[in-house]
Amino acid sequence: MKTLLKGGRVVSGRGWIEADILLEDDKISKVEADISDSDARIVDVTGRFVFPGFIDAHTHFDLAVAGTVTADDFETGTRAAVSGGTTTIVDFATQYRGETLKEALDNWHRKADQKSSCNYGFHLAISEFSESISSELEEIIRDGVTSFKLYMIYDDNMLDDGSIYKVLKRLTELGGIAGVHCENSDLVKAMVQEQKEMGNLTTSAHPASRPPLVEAEAIDRLLKIAALADSPIIVVHLSTKAGLKEVQSARKQGQEVYLETCPQYLLLDDSVYDLPDFEGGKYIIAPPLRKKEDQEALWEALADDSIQTLSTDHCSFTQKQKSAGKEDFTKIPGGMAGVETRPVLMYTYGVEAGRITMEQMCRLLSENPAKLYGMYPQKGVIAPGSDADLVVWNPDTEWVLSAENQTANVDYQAYEGYPVKGIAEQVYVNGQLAAENGKIVKEHLGQYVKREPYTKLF
Ligand code: MN
């Protein structure tokens, strides 16, 4: 099967060129001017930008949280991903204590296999480290799981500092890399206690119990642990200016630190937690939404390439699920949807607004995650031999985000009423048309992605 995309502007991490793209089965076979091929189905994409398929390296589908399970599983979550232009996700397979790493991966394959509409890989969240886990890592990495997640908070998942040090050393020996959730667990517990003692059980207690220094302290400590282990490190979902400063000073010392942030930390702020009628419950996530000055610092860090990847932390719950914490903010399941809206939000409020360039968007949403997570140049670039995962982006379509027009399995839209510009007009997954203008046309095209060790970004 051949498809020929004619007349598009082919985007890479360095800019865009006008070229035709020939897809043969599940690969890109040619990228050049004026291709003709009488066997190919011809698609006119004149005036459209063609991006390498977007990669969301931070999703949680079909995950048990706070006595419930995320509203999106791999069926609905990957449909939402594809409808917005994301052709690959990397979800978090979690090792529950007492399990081998293999058992954790098997669990996540059972959740995802045969159900996914986009390609998918797994980071492995390590919740317990021992001699046997250490030796098991070798085979896990050889089998194509090359990135890991460590938590500095959450009693069921967190590792102590010594274990983080040991894991990082071992990963570095084997060519693995870890992304870390940075918040200080003890401080959050103490400050939650304070809020409760003051009788504040509403959503406004959420940011009050997790102030910016809770993140910055954990980032600072993590960076020192990583320096001692002589390991590269990824800070996931950076939310604060204070945390950014810690990373910038470590980089000045020569440390290899990568940063991820998410659209919600750029576009929403903590004033939503004070809204009446439990509106704030919709936005309970961790780390919490921050202040305008944090948003500004993060936008600047995107513009000057201090941040490498932009993911979503998609972890969705319905309003009914959220209402479990109406009387006590600590019982609200934490997380929100995002996998579907990331490309259009970044295009509208990043590229169109002049805060980042088209090529930066390409790097942040596709090229850099492909490199950091061992999928480049199979993914993350439009080049002969690469996978035929593509997004034909119409830059002129204007529309409005709403719960009504979303694909994700949730009953609210955190960006309700936001005007946006640009749309994923056609989305190709492994060479086949999977979505058009936000609607799925062919599901279950996703394949599991075995990954190589990470590639250094700088
Ligand atoms: Mn997460």
PDB file of all heavy atoms in Angstrom, residues 58-60 92 149 151 181 236-237 286 313-315, ligand 1:
ATOM      1  N   HIS A  58       4.198  10.760  28.566  1.00  0.00           N
ATOM      2  CA  HIS A  58       3.732  10.742  29.957  1.00  0.00           C
ATOM      3  C   HIS A  58       2.212  10.600  29.999  1.00  0.00           C
ATOM      4  O   HIS A  58       1.477  11.585  30.041  1.00  0.00           O
ATOM      5  CB  HIS A  58       4.173  12.029  30.674  1.00  0.00           C
ATOM      6  CG  HIS A  58       4.092  11.952  32.175  1.00  0.00           C
ATOM      7  ND1 HIS A  58       5.010  12.550  32.999  1.00  0.00           N
ATOM      8  CD2 HIS A  58       3.206  11.341  32.993  1.00  0.00           C
ATOM      9  CE1 HIS A  58       4.686  12.331  34.269  1.00  0.00           C
ATOM     10  NE2 HIS A  58       3.591  11.603  34.281  1.00  0.00           N
ATOM     11  N   THR A  59       1.751   9.358  29.944  1.00  0.00           N
ATOM     12  CA  THR A  59       0.307   9.116  30.099  1.00  0.00           C
ATOM     13  C   THR A  59       0.082   8.040  31.154  1.00  0.00           C
ATOM     14  O   THR A  59       0.961   7.230  31.432  1.00  0.00           O
ATOM     15  CB  THR A  59      -0.350   8.617  28.786  1.00  0.00           C
ATOM     16  OG1 THR A  59       0.150   7.310  28.470  1.00  0.00           O
ATOM     17  CG2 THR A  59      -0.078   9.565  27.623  1.00  0.00           C
ATOM     18  N   HIS A  60      -1.103   8.073  31.745  1.00  0.00           N
ATOM     19  CA  HIS A  60      -1.529   7.023  32.683  1.00  0.00           C
ATOM     20  C   HIS A  60      -2.906   6.556  32.240  1.00  0.00           C
ATOM     21  O   HIS A  60      -3.908   7.201  32.519  1.00  0.00           O
ATOM     22  CB  HIS A  60      -1.635   7.573  34.105  1.00  0.00           C
ATOM     23  CG  HIS A  60      -0.356   8.134  34.647  1.00  0.00           C
ATOM     24  ND1 HIS A  60       0.641   7.361  35.182  1.00  0.00           N
ATOM     25  CD2 HIS A  60       0.090   9.407  34.730  1.00  0.00           C
ATOM     26  CE1 HIS A  60       1.637   8.124  35.587  1.00  0.00           C
ATOM     27  NE2 HIS A  60       1.342   9.376  35.319  1.00  0.00           N
ATOM     28  N   PHE A  92       3.103   4.383  31.835  1.00  0.00           N
ATOM     29  CA  PHE A  92       3.934   3.929  32.951  1.00  0.00           C
ATOM     30  C   PHE A  92       3.457   2.578  33.461  1.00  0.00           C
ATOM     31  O   PHE A  92       2.408   2.495  34.115  1.00  0.00           O
ATOM     32  CB  PHE A  92       3.888   4.946  34.097  1.00  0.00           C
ATOM     33  CG  PHE A  92       4.529   6.258  33.722  1.00  0.00           C
ATOM     34  CD1 PHE A  92       3.779   7.264  33.137  1.00  0.00           C
ATOM     35  CD2 PHE A  92       5.882   6.452  33.908  1.00  0.00           C
ATOM     36  CE1 PHE A  92       4.370   8.460  32.755  1.00  0.00           C
ATOM     37  CE2 PHE A  92       6.484   7.650  33.528  1.00  0.00           C
ATOM     38  CZ  PHE A  92       5.731   8.660  32.949  1.00  0.00           C
ATOM     39  N   LYS A 149      10.685   5.080  35.819  1.00  0.00           N
ATOM     40  CA  LYS A 149      10.092   6.172  36.582  1.00  0.00           C
ATOM     41  C   LYS A 149      10.328   5.907  38.046  1.00  0.00           C
ATOM     42  O   LYS A 149      10.151   4.786  38.519  1.00  0.00           O
ATOM     43  CB  LYS A 149       8.575   6.229  36.292  1.00  0.00           C
ATOM     44  CG  LYS A 149       7.754   7.179  37.164  1.00  0.00           C
ATOM     45  CD  LYS A 149       7.790   8.596  36.646  1.00  0.00           C
ATOM     46  CE  LYS A 149       6.846   9.536  37.377  1.00  0.00           C
ATOM     47  NZ  LYS A 149       5.466   9.434  36.949  1.00  0.00           N
ATOM     48  N   TYR A 151       9.506   7.602  41.974  1.00  0.00           N
ATOM     49  CA  TYR A 151       8.693   8.557  42.720  1.00  0.00           C
ATOM     50  C   TYR A 151       9.392   8.923  44.023  1.00  0.00           C
ATOM     51  O   TYR A 151       9.857   8.047  44.746  1.00  0.00           O
ATOM     52  CB  TYR A 151       7.334   7.945  43.058  1.00  0.00           C
ATOM     53  CG  TYR A 151       6.414   7.763  41.864  1.00  0.00           C
ATOM     54  CD1 TYR A 151       6.415   6.581  41.126  1.00  0.00           C
ATOM     55  CD2 TYR A 151       5.536   8.776  41.480  1.00  0.00           C
ATOM     56  CE1 TYR A 151       5.566   6.409  40.045  1.00  0.00           C
ATOM     57  CE2 TYR A 151       4.685   8.615  40.392  1.00  0.00           C
ATOM     58  CZ  TYR A 151       4.696   7.432  39.680  1.00  0.00           C
ATOM     59  OH  TYR A 151       3.858   7.266  38.609  1.00  0.00           O
ATOM     60  N   HIS A 181       9.432  11.880  39.606  1.00  0.00           N
ATOM     61  CA  HIS A 181       8.419  12.778  40.166  1.00  0.00           C
ATOM     62  C   HIS A 181       9.009  13.397  41.419  1.00  0.00           C
ATOM     63  O   HIS A 181       9.275  12.700  42.398  1.00  0.00           O
ATOM     64  CB  HIS A 181       7.152  11.990  40.495  1.00  0.00           C
ATOM     65  CG  HIS A 181       6.044  12.826  41.077  1.00  0.00           C
ATOM     66  ND1 HIS A 181       4.755  12.765  40.606  1.00  0.00           N
ATOM     67  CD2 HIS A 181       6.027  13.750  42.081  1.00  0.00           C
ATOM     68  CE1 HIS A 181       3.993  13.626  41.314  1.00  0.00           C
ATOM     69  NE2 HIS A 181       4.753  14.226  42.216  1.00  0.00           N
ATOM     70  N   VAL A 236      10.457  15.045  35.541  1.00  0.00           N
ATOM     71  CA  VAL A 236       9.192  15.071  34.805  1.00  0.00           C
ATOM     72  C   VAL A 236       8.266  16.150  35.362  1.00  0.00           C
ATOM     73  O   VAL A 236       8.447  16.633  36.475  1.00  0.00           O
ATOM     74  CB  VAL A 236       8.480  13.687  34.784  1.00  0.00           C
ATOM     75  CG1 VAL A 236       9.353  12.650  34.088  1.00  0.00           C
ATOM     76  CG2 VAL A 236       8.100  13.236  36.186  1.00  0.00           C
ATOM     77  N   HIS A 237       7.306  16.497  34.579  1.00  0.00           N
ATOM     78  CA  HIS A 237       6.302  17.532  34.879  1.00  0.00           C
ATOM     79  C   HIS A 237       6.789  18.664  35.786  1.00  0.00           C
ATOM     80  O   HIS A 237       6.211  18.945  36.829  1.00  0.00           O
ATOM     81  CB  HIS A 237       4.974  16.939  35.358  1.00  0.00           C
ATOM     82  CG  HIS A 237       5.032  15.936  36.484  1.00  0.00           C
ATOM     83  ND1 HIS A 237       5.738  16.123  37.644  1.00  0.00           N
ATOM     84  CD2 HIS A 237       4.432  14.725  36.612  1.00  0.00           C
ATOM     85  CE1 HIS A 237       5.563  15.087  38.436  1.00  0.00           C
ATOM     86  NE2 HIS A 237       4.794  14.219  37.825  1.00  0.00           N
ATOM     87  N   ALA A 286      -0.959  16.662  40.690  1.00  0.00           N
ATOM     88  CA  ALA A 286       0.260  16.858  41.470  1.00  0.00           C
ATOM     89  C   ALA A 286       1.477  16.696  40.564  1.00  0.00           C
ATOM     90  O   ALA A 286       1.562  15.697  39.861  1.00  0.00           O
ATOM     91  CB  ALA A 286       0.333  15.856  42.619  1.00  0.00           C
ATOM     92  N   ASP A 313       0.934  14.075  31.151  1.00  0.00           N
ATOM     93  CA  ASP A 313       0.514  13.472  32.415  1.00  0.00           C
ATOM     94  C   ASP A 313      -0.995  13.180  32.389  1.00  0.00           C
ATOM     95  O   ASP A 313      -1.672  13.315  33.400  1.00  0.00           O
ATOM     96  CB  ASP A 313       0.889  14.372  33.604  1.00  0.00           C
ATOM     97  CG  ASP A 313       1.014  13.587  34.897  1.00  0.00           C
ATOM     98  OD1 ASP A 313       0.842  12.355  34.893  1.00  0.00           O
ATOM     99  OD2 ASP A 313       1.288  14.224  35.941  1.00  0.00           O
ATOM    100  N   HIS A 314      -1.489  12.786  31.215  1.00  0.00           N
ATOM    101  CA  HIS A 314      -2.912  12.432  31.084  1.00  0.00           C
ATOM    102  C   HIS A 314      -3.266  11.362  32.112  1.00  0.00           C
ATOM    103  O   HIS A 314      -2.690  10.277  32.120  1.00  0.00           O
ATOM    104  CB  HIS A 314      -3.194  11.909  29.670  1.00  0.00           C
ATOM    105  CG  HIS A 314      -4.648  11.628  29.402  1.00  0.00           C
ATOM    106  ND1 HIS A 314      -5.429  12.445  28.630  1.00  0.00           N
ATOM    107  CD2 HIS A 314      -5.451  10.607  29.799  1.00  0.00           C
ATOM    108  CE1 HIS A 314      -6.661  11.945  28.552  1.00  0.00           C
ATOM    109  NE2 HIS A 314      -6.696  10.821  29.257  1.00  0.00           N
ATOM    110  N   CYS A 315      -4.195  11.691  32.993  1.00  0.00           N
ATOM    111  CA  CYS A 315      -4.611  10.775  34.065  1.00  0.00           C
ATOM    112  C   CYS A 315      -6.015  11.238  34.417  1.00  0.00           C
ATOM    113  O   CYS A 315      -6.215  12.067  35.295  1.00  0.00           O
ATOM    114  CB  CYS A 315      -3.643  10.928  35.251  1.00  0.00           C
ATOM    115  SG  CYS A 315      -3.880   9.730  36.570  1.00  0.00           S
TER     116      CYS A 315
HETATM  117 MN    MN B   1       2.336  11.144  35.961  1.00  0.00          MN
END
